[in-house]
């Protein structure tokens, strides 16, 4: 049996001979047409999510220079969302509404607005060393900052600026109970904000590690309780927090132990040469728990830029800081799940070095130092700290652990390979080629005490020829690798359309529990109830001098108020509340020409603010296609110049309707409403008869539909009052409003009905699925609508209408002409004035269509 056959057999259950032949023939055709091998098909099946299917893992990837983040699923590698972090993101209103601007502006540095970021390392909050699915942080290398994202709604809530660094890289990494977030400096610079000549590099330039105090309950960094450990001006690089036996310690690489300062322009060798002269650089080992204690005593800290800094000598005097040589130009440092080993990659060395935490602790305890660096920091002997070294290949960069004891994966930048090896036994197990030049790797919860194994994603720096050419700036490539077998297997490529995502972290999807709606009137950026919260009936415009405040609501499908008139020069603030409770009923909001935009998920209150400094008429509207009447969800902002006299335009002579015409128009509207209501009632009847309230999803939709329907009574009252007062024109408008509510009700009601049908119908066989497809693709549905008489007869029950129905229908599909003379067919031809055309269906397709009709019959009550 070929692999394809086997595959089909396994998927569909051998024994279903007919379905097997149908599906396998189709599969073979697809493979041939698309040039796929059997291996490809297996790989595709490993990553495919059928419609509605979900992923096991969710990845949070840095968005690199875009200053945003990306969320995607694994193994499907489907993008789910971008999150605006350091950069404005219009879809989410990030940077275009007042609440998010406040967050974005927390990232101002020395009073200057910064609207981009170079994001590198995302970190997920941990409890007891495991991901808890609550908070996400990411750093900005260019403008040393860390941002906090709430995983309850995937929004950025806080940005903190590092008060002493001028650049950073080795962050942001949580300690095992999210006590602190590590942020290591990169390019050393003076801590103060003054000029210091480069000749005084060793004296006045500094590196460091900032320990940001984090409150995991509220998910905010506590700036006042945070501090920085001063370090020598080596270029600190990646960091990792100790766990289990190494809990309380931190580890940070560095790459310029030479303290070289460049100077091509004065004839000196460039940075890259000077920075890699020494054979070794330094791994920094520090006790953050002890440092945190020290930082509480003012005599242990210097205050620089309003921030606590622990000088090196204080750390050294308290046995809280040590250096260990590491192979030159290191990059990744990763602590093993048990906390015993620290694996360091040296990008200019072919080895990775495995340090043993117990050995390090012994040297520290015995004060057995190999020497001191120029700043007096004790150096531990490299050999005595090492568990061992392994030669992996060219350019090792980053490591990730799996669920198998001792198993580790390391990226080789120069060789463009992933190496699987054992860090305990120090032996190489397997290598896999990637395309091309891999940087970080992402394992599944690989940085926690319980890595999940299964997959590794290779975050490649170059894509070169892997994708459609989209111009000289190429996408990057995330490659998914199956690591569940003895050897690695590369499954699929994912182009990354947004910056260079240095690193990404993956969490089990089941650990995430985001909300679908906000408590009514929530300011999502603070989590508190918004001062501008507005409920139905509270909509209003308030003026105070030239300050205009609009309290508005949005609900399908109108914005209230619909007309706002202000004077040129007025400062306008609009508080917008989305009154919806239904999942995914988001409205967007903008006022044309004023560079404002808000995204209003159900229950959210957002404000936008602008100065109406230009005269004119400006439509405002909902920017999300939220319902059938979305286009009507609009209003006008009218800005008039108070110093101008407006001459009323010549009144156009509008044709007016006679009272009789008006009455006719009213009657027509009322009867259309009655007809629409009949449709609604039939849907309601269906829903009730089929116990819709047993299904949560359907129940929510029905609640939402009834909410709309409930508004009709009031409109009807107004309409009747208008009729009584003889104002037919007004009555028609209210009747129209009733119709709008009905359409909205029907819109949701029909969605509820569809959802219910899908939930309660018997499952379709493979043949019925193929038959439905053939029915649609063959154009049968052009004349036949299931459950309705359309331009052809309703096919529900067709198999019962004829003697030996299945055979008859098959024959009719294959050779309609043969049956035209039969009395029933003849009467149908006369009635519809149409003949059934020959659609040239194959016998296979015909058989499948019959199967589909059988399925329709079984579920006839649902159509
Ligand atoms: S980086 S490719 Cu983490 Cu910024 Cu290594
Ligand atoms: Cu609300 Cu479109």
């Amino acid at each position: 049996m070929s692999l394809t056959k086997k595959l089909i057999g396994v998927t569909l259950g051998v024994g279903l001979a007919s379905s097997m032949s149908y599906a396998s023939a189709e599969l073979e055709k697809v493979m041939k047409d698309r040039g796929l091998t059997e291996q490809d098909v297996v790989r595709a099946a490993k990553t495919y999510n059928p419609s509605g299917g979900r992923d096991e893992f969710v990845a949070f990837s840095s968005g690199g220079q875009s200053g945003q983040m990306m969320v995607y699923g694994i193994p499907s590698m489907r993008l789910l969302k971008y999150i605006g972090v350091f950069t404005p993101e219009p879809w989410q209103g990030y940077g275009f509404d007042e609440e998010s601007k406040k967050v974005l502006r927390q990232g101002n540095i020395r009073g200057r607005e910064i609207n981009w970021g170079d994001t590198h390392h995302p970190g997920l909050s941990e409890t007891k060393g495991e991901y808890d699915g609550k908070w996400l942080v990411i750093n900005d290398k260019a403008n040393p900052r860390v941002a906090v994202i709430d995983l309850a709604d995937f929004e950025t809530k806080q940005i903190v600026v590092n008060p002493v660094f001028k650049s950073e890289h080795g962050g942001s990494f949580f300690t095992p109970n999210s006590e602190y977030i590590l942020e290591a400096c990169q390019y050393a610079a003076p801590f103060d904000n003054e000029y210091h000549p480069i000749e005084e590099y060793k004296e006045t330039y500094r590196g460091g590690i900032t320990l940001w105090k984090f409150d995991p309950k509220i998910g905010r960094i506590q700036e006042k309780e945070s501090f920085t450990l001063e370090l020598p001006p080596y270029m600190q690089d990646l960091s990792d927090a100790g766990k289990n036996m190494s809990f309380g310690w931190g580890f940070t690489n560095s790459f310029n132990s030479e303290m070289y300062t460049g100077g091509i322009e004065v004839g000196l060798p460039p940075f890259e040469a000077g920075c890699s002269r020494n054979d070794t650089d330094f791994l920094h080992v520090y006790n953050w728990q002890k440092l945190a204690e020290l930082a509480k005593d003012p005599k242990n800290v210097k205050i620089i830029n309003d921030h606590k800094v622990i000088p090196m000598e204080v750390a050294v005097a308290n046995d809280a800081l040590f250096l260990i040589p590491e192979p030159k130009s290191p990059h990744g440092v990763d602590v093993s799940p048990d906390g015993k080993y620290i694996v360091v990659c040296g990008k200019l060395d072919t080895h990775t070095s495995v340090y043993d935490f117990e050995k390090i602790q012994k040297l520290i305890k015995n004060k057995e130092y190999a020497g001191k660096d120029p700043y007096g920091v004790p150096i531990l002997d490299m050999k005595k700290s090492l568990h061992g070294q392994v030669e992996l290949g060219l350019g090792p960069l980053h490591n990730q652990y799996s669920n198998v004891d001792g198993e580790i994966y390391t990226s080789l930048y120069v060789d463009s390979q992933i190496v699987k090896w054992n860090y305990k036994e120090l032996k190489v197990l397997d290598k896999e080629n990637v395309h091309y030049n891999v940087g970080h790797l992402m394992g599944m919860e690989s940085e926690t005490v319980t890595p999940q194994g299964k997959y590794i994603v290779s975050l490649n720096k170059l894509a070169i020829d892997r994708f459609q050419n989209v111009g000289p700036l190429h996408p990057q490539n995330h490659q998914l690798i199956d690591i569940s077998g003895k050897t690695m297997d590369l499954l699929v490529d994912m182009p990354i359309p947004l910056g260079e995502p240095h690193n990404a972290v993956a969490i089990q999807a089941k650990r995430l529990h985001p909300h679908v709606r906000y408590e009514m009137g929530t300011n999502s950026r603070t989590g508190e109830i918004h001062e501008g919260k507005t409920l139905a009936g509270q909509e209003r415009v308030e003026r105070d001098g030239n300050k205009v405040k609009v309290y508005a609501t949005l609900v399908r499908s109108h914005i209230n108020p619909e007309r706002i008139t202000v004077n040129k020069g007025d400062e306008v603030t609009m508080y917008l509340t989305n009154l919806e409770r239904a999942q995914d009923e988001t409205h967007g909001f903008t006022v044309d020409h004023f560079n404002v935009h808000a995204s209003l998920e159900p229950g959210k209150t957002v404000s936008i603010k602008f100065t109406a400094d230009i005269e004119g008429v400006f439509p405002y509207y909902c920017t999300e296609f939220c319902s059938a009447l979305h286009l009507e969800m609009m209003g006008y902002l009218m800005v008039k110049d108070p110093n101008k006299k407006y001459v009323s335009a010549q009144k156009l002579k509008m044709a007016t309707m006679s009272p009789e015409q008006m009455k006719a128009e009213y009657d027509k509207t009322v009867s259309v409403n009655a007809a629409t209501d009949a449709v609604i009632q039939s849907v309601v009847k269906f829903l009730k008869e089929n116990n819709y309230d047993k299904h949560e999803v359907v129940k929510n939709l029905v609640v939402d539909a009834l909410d709309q329907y409930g508004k009709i009574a009031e409109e009807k009252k107004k309409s009747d009052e208008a009729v009584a007062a003889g104002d037919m024109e007004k009555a028609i408008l209210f009747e129209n409003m009733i119709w709008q509510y009905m359409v909205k009700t029907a819109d949701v009601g029909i969605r509820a009905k569809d959802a219910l049908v899908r939930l309660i119908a018997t499952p379709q066989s493979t043949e019925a699925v193929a038959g439905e497809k053939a029915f649609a693709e063959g154009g049968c549905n052009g004349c036949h609508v299931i459950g309705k008489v359309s331009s052809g007869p309703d096919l529900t029950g067709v198999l019962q209408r004829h003697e030996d129905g299945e055979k008859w229908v098959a024959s009719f599909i294959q050779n309609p002409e043969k049956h035209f003379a039969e009395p029933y067919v003849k009467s149908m031809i006369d009635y519809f004035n149409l003949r059934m055309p020959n659609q040239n269906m194959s016998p296979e397709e015909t058989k499948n269509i019959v199967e589909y009709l059988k399925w329709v019959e079984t579920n006839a009550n649902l159509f």
Side-chain angles (χ1 to χ4, degrees):
M1 211 194 261
S2 79
L3 181 58
T4 328
K5 294 249 173 65
K6 250 190 275 171
L7 187 76
I8 300 302
V10 171
T11 329
L12 304 177
V14 189
L16 297 170
S18 60
S19 65
M20 197 176 118
S21 61
Y22 166 74
S24 77
E26 170 117 358
L27 179 59
E28 267 166 27
K29 182 168 178 304
V30 172
M31 287 170 66
K32 200 163 145 257
D33 290 353
R34 302 199 63 212
L36 300 177
T37 66
E38 290 175 337
Q39 253 323 313
D40 292 334
V41 174
V42 173
R43 288 174 180 145
K46 282 186 180 175
T47 60
Y48 176 69
N49 268 353
S51 178
R54 306 251 182 113
D55 283 303
E56 185 180 356
F57 296 98
V58 175
F60 295 94
S61 173
S62 142
Q65 304 90 328
S66 77
Q68 304 182 353
M69 293 205 67
M70 284 174 280
V71 188
Y72 63 83
I74 295 174
S76 77
M77 308 300 272
R78 297 181 306 184
L79 266 174
L80 296 166
K81 196 170 200 173
Y82 293 139
I83 305 172
V85 184
F86 298 111
T87 311
E89 200 295 313
W91 169 44
Q92 295 154 32
Y94 189 62
F96 298 91
D97 68 51
E98 291 305 301
E99 292 68 29
S100 63
K101 264 194 233 166
K102 277 194 191 123
V103 176
L104 197 58
R105 294 284 73 90
Q106 289 171 10
N108 287 10
I109 299 185
R110 298 171 71 184
R112 308 170 68 87
E113 269 193 20
I114 296 182
N115 284 317
W116 86 288
D118 184 14
T119 60
H120 276 240
H121 306 107
L124 285 162
S125 57
E126 296 177 15
T127 304
K128 295 197 181 123
E130 288 195 343
Y131 288 155
D132 53 30
K134 296 228 168 78
W135 311 102
L136 170 68
V137 291
I138 182 121
N139 70 319
D140 171 10
K141 169 167 168 165
N143 322 288
R145 300 181 291 180
V146 174
V148 181
I149 293 148
D150 187 344
L151 293 176
D153 62 0
F154 289 49
E155 277 192 353
T156 304
K157 307 293 181 184
Q158 185 186 27
I159 296 177
V160 294
V161 177
N162 194 299
V164 290
F165 296 167
K166 307 299 176 272
S167 142
E168 58 97 289
H169 185 242
S172 30
F173 307 111
F174 276 105
T175 56
N177 292 299
S178 305
E179 298 94 339
Y180 284 92
I181 299 163
L182 306 185
E183 184 192 26
C185 187
Q186 179 117 80
Y187 306 124
F191 276 2
D192 63 29
N193 289 336
E194 283 158 33
Y195 163 75
H196 296 270
I198 192 94
E199 290 71 25
E200 293 167 12
Y201 182 84
K202 291 178 185 164
E203 293 78 17
T204 58
Y205 288 47
R206 287 293 175 265
I209 307 280
T210 298
L211 284 122
W212 290 110
K213 179 80 189 117
F214 189 74
D215 182 342
K217 274 202 209 78
I218 57 165
R220 298 291 186 276
I221 289 170
Q222 308 294 313
E223 296 184 65
K224 287 282 154 237
E225 292 167 51
S226 306
F227 64 93
T228 296
L229 166 63
E230 176 199 35
L231 291 176
Y234 313 140
M235 307 292 193
Q236 278 78 32
D237 201 31
L238 279 155
S239 312
D240 200 5
K243 47 189 107 143
N244 286 321
M245 71 160 62
S246 53
F247 177 84
W249 290 78
F251 307 91
T252 298
N253 280 334
S254 61
F255 63 78
N256 184 15
S257 57
E258 299 84 356
M259 295 188 275
Y260 189 64
T261 55
I264 310 190
E265 59 296 315
V266 293
L268 290 167
F271 260 112
E272 66 210 74
C275 289
S276 49
R277 208 178 57 224
N278 292 354
D279 280 339
T280 52
D281 285 298
F282 288 123
L283 172 66
H284 301 60
V285 179
Y286 45 95
N287 186 329
W288 62 258
Q289 259 189 319
K290 199 180 266 182
L291 292 167
E293 277 309 308
L294 289 172
K296 288 183 186 152
D297 187 342
K299 71 175 192 299
N300 291 326
V301 298
K302 277 193 287 199
I303 302 293
I304 306 177
N305 297 338
D306 219 14
H307 173 77
K308 289 186 230 171
V309 175
I310 302 184
M312 285 182 267
E313 27 330 336
V314 174
V316 169
N318 288 280
D319 293 332
L321 173 65
F322 305 90
L323 299 171
I324 312 178
E326 54 186 359
K328 72 159 125 191
S329 198
H331 196 43
V333 49
D334 300 278
V335 179
S336 63
D338 60 5
K340 181 166 158 49
Y341 300 98
I342 301 124
V343 181
V344 171
C345 295
K347 29 187 210 313
L348 298 184
D349 192 277
T350 53
H351 294 88
T352 42
S353 307
V354 184
Y355 291 87
D356 183 328
F357 184 73
E358 283 173 340
K359 290 186 178 173
I360 294 173
Q361 286 306 305
K362 220 170 110 203
L363 295 174
I364 291 175
K365 213 172 125 226
N366 300 335
K367 295 204 186 282
E368 197 186 328
Y369 306 144
K372 292 203 163 183
D373 86 334
Y375 297 90
V377 184
I379 301 173
L380 308 181
D381 185 80
M382 176 168 168
K383 281 228 177 69
K384 288 183 185 162
S385 314
L386 274 174
H387 168 62
Q389 288 184 307
V390 185
E391 175 149 357
L392 295 184
L394 297 180
L397 284 189
H398 294 285
N399 313 294
Q400 289 282 274
Y401 295 94
S402 86
N403 55 329
V404 179
D405 186 43
E407 195 172 284
I408 188 168
Y409 294 79
T410 300
S411 55
L412 301 181
Y413 179 82
V414 180
D415 279 343
S416 291
Q417 282 183 324
I418 310 295
V419 191
K420 166 178 169 178
W421 56 289
N422 188 305
Y423 60 91
K424 292 191 174 167
E425 291 160 16
L426 304 172
K427 57 173 204 253
V428 172
L429 302 170
D430 185 30
K431 286 193 180 189
E432 173 78 37
N433 293 327
V434 292
H435 316 276
Y436 303 86
N437 300 83
V438 49
H440 276 271
L441 290 172
M442 166 173 56
M444 305 300 108
E445 303 196 346
S446 174
E447 276 140 18
T448 70
V449 295
T450 49
Q452 297 296 310
K454 295 195 179 178
Y455 307 102
I456 283 277
V457 178
S458 173
L459 279 56
N460 304 332
K461 303 291 182 192
L462 306 182
I464 308 182
D465 56 357
R466 306 314 281 184
F467 305 113
Q468 175 65 37
N469 184 349
V470 288
L473 178 62
H474 288 43
Q476 299 218 336
N477 188 2
H478 283 192
Q479 292 188 303
L480 180 70
I481 297 168
D482 180 352
I483 59 164
S484 58
K486 222 171 136 39
T487 55
M488 288 175 270
D489 186 29
L490 198 158
L491 299 177
V492 76
D493 294 0
M494 175 201 196
I496 295 288
L498 193 80
E500 185 203 330
H502 294 261
N503 196 15
V505 286
I507 182 172
Q508 295 178 72
K510 65 172 187 221
R511 290 195 199 265
L512 297 170
H513 307 285
H515 304 329
V516 296
R517 62 180 70 84
Y518 293 101
E519 189 189 330
M520 190 55 76
T522 303
N523 172 347
S524 67
R525 302 287 166 176
T526 63
E528 283 152 19
I529 295 300
H530 201 294
E531 45 161 342
K533 169 181 171 181
T534 309
L535 297 178
Q538 300 174 342
E539 298 90 349
R540 64 200 183 275
V541 178
E542 288 176 359
R543 283 164 215 278
D544 178 10
N546 69 343
K547 292 197 171 37
V548 179
K549 288 188 176 173
V550 181
Y551 294 83
T553 60
L554 293 91
V555 74
R556 271 161 293 166
S557 316
H558 53 264
I559 300 163
N560 190 346
E562 295 187 329
R563 294 176 200 166
I564 303 164
T565 309
V566 301
N567 286 326
K568 188 176 158 190
D570 282 354
E571 185 194 286
V572 182
T573 307
M574 295 188 74
Y575 299 103
L576 307 154
T577 300
N578 179 354
L579 297 178
E580 308 275 358
R581 299 317 285 151
Q583 177 165 347
D584 204 16
E585 266 311 331
T586 296
H587 301 288
F589 184 85
T590 186
V591 182
D592 295 357
H593 298 197
F594 285 99
N595 198 36
V596 287
H597 186 238
S599 170
L600 292 132
E601 298 87 63
K604 204 185 207 183
T605 297
V606 174
S607 62
I608 54 155
K609 194 170 171 181
F610 56 90
T611 304
D613 50 4
I614 44 174
E615 180 195 339
V617 173
F618 307 95
Y620 50 83
Y621 69 97
C622 167
T623 62
E624 282 266 342
F625 209 111
C626 52
S627 68
L629 291 160
H630 151 78
L631 295 180
E632 290 78 352
M633 197 165 173
M634 60 87 63
Y636 285 108
L637 170 76
M638 286 156 289
V639 184
K640 55 180 191 188
D641 187 337
N643 302 316
K644 223 161 127 182
K645 248 188 132 59
Y646 293 97
V647 192
S648 156
Q650 174 82 47
K651 282 227 170 90
L652 282 172
K653 263 261 162 272
M654 298 290 288
T656 48
M657 277 195 224
S658 70
E660 295 72 38
Q661 286 171 318
M662 202 71 102
K663 173 78 172 60
E665 173 81 15
Y666 170 80
D667 289 343
K668 198 178 104 202
T669 317
V670 169
S671 76
V672 166
N673 284 353
T676 313
D677 198 36
V679 173
I680 293 173
Q681 293 316 324
S682 76
V683 172
V684 169
K685 184 158 164 276
F686 173 87
L687 290 168
K688 281 195 184 145
E689 280 171 3
N690 291 290
N691 305 318
Y692 75 93
D693 47 354
K694 291 219 181 83
H695 308 275
E696 201 51 32
V697 187
V698 184
K699 212 171 95 188
N700 286 338
L701 285 168
V702 172
V703 167
D704 197 42
L706 293 180
D707 178 46
Q708 296 289 324
Y709 197 73
K711 302 192 167 118
I712 290 174
E714 200 183 319
E715 302 294 326
K716 187 73 199 166
K717 212 175 117 220
K718 290 184 198 158
S719 164
D720 291 347
E721 279 166 12
V723 173
D727 189 344
M728 281 322 230
E729 191 167 358
K730 209 166 171 192
I732 292 169
L733 286 173
F734 284 122
E735 286 298 328
N736 275 332
M737 194 58 223
I738 292 173
W739 182 73
Q740 300 215 358
Y741 282 123
M742 283 180 169
V743 170
K744 286 179 235 167
T745 307
D747 183 26
V748 186
I750 288 166
R751 257 197 276 164
K753 183 181 170 199
D754 286 349
L756 188 57
V757 167
R758 258 176 278 125
L759 285 166
I760 59 182
T762 55
Q764 282 186 333
S765 66
T766 320
E767 294 85 347
V769 172
E772 184 169 7
K773 197 169 147 219
F775 188 82
E777 285 174 1
C780 311
N781 57 358
C783 293
H784 301 284
V785 177
I786 303 293
K788 262 201 203 81
V789 177
S790 149
S791 38
D794 178 9
L795 295 183
T796 326
V798 65
L799 299 175
Q800 327 249 330
R801 283 207 282 269
H802 303 271
E803 185 78 21
D804 216 350
E806 293 181 29
K807 239 173 139 184
W808 186 89
V809 169
S811 157
F812 190 54
I813 295 173
Q814 296 263 293
N815 292 302
E817 320 77 32
K818 240 175 62 190
H819 298 269
F820 286 163
E822 291 170 20
Y824 177 79
V825 177
K826 193 162 172 310
S827 71
M828 286 294 128
I829 291 175
D830 291 344
Y831 180 81
F832 289 102
N833 199 15
L834 265 178
R835 285 155 197 268
M836 161 93 163
N838 192 331
Q839 305 288 73
N840 298 313
M841 292 281 175
S842 72
E844 179 87 34
E845 284 166 330
T846 306
K847 237 173 71 206
N848 291 332
I849 290 176
V850 170
E851 285 307 311
Y852 167 58
L853 292 172
K854 272 161 74 183
W855 177 83
V856 167
E857 215 126 286
T858 325
N859 296 288
N861 58 321
L862 303 180
F863 293 101

